[in-house]
Amino acid sequence: MGKIRFMANAKGETMIELIEFNKGEKVQIKGLVMSYLSDENLETIRDLAINLGYTPSEIITQQPKPKYFTVLDPDGIMVEFTSFS
């Protein structure tokens, strides 16, 4: 048994599926970052991650890179959400 969480910008759009199983093999990939570009407001996405029980970073603005935040999935893989808006 485990938990599955879905995140999407809006209903019907592409979703990210975050899976955590209590038993079973864990993914072990060092240095992997999955990055997603969003047209949605990053504060909204970050709030959704918090409401789902995750602890995302603060939103980072560091030129020349666009603003972004990161969050660890249940296997410890870094997921980065980026927006140009």
Side-chain angles (χ1 to χ4, degrees), residues 8-46:
N9 288 330
K11 186 175 181 178
E13 290 193 10
T14 302
M15 294 192 295
I16 298 171
E17 180 181 18
L18 303 171
I19 303 171
E20 178 180 15
F21 292 113
N22 296 332
K23 295 181 181 178
E25 185 178 338
K26 294 287 183 183
V27 176
Q28 300 283 327
I29 301 176
K30 294 182 181 183
L32 175 67
V33 176
M34 298 178 67
S35 187
Y36 295 91
L37 177 62
S38 176
D39 294 332
E40 193 74 25
N41 180 299
L42 282 185
E43 288 83 4
T44 302
I45 299 169
R46 186 175 179 279

Side-chain angles (χ1 to χ4, degrees), residues 4 8 14 42 55 59-60:
I4 299 176
T14 302
L42 282 185
T55 49
I59 294 175
I60 301 164

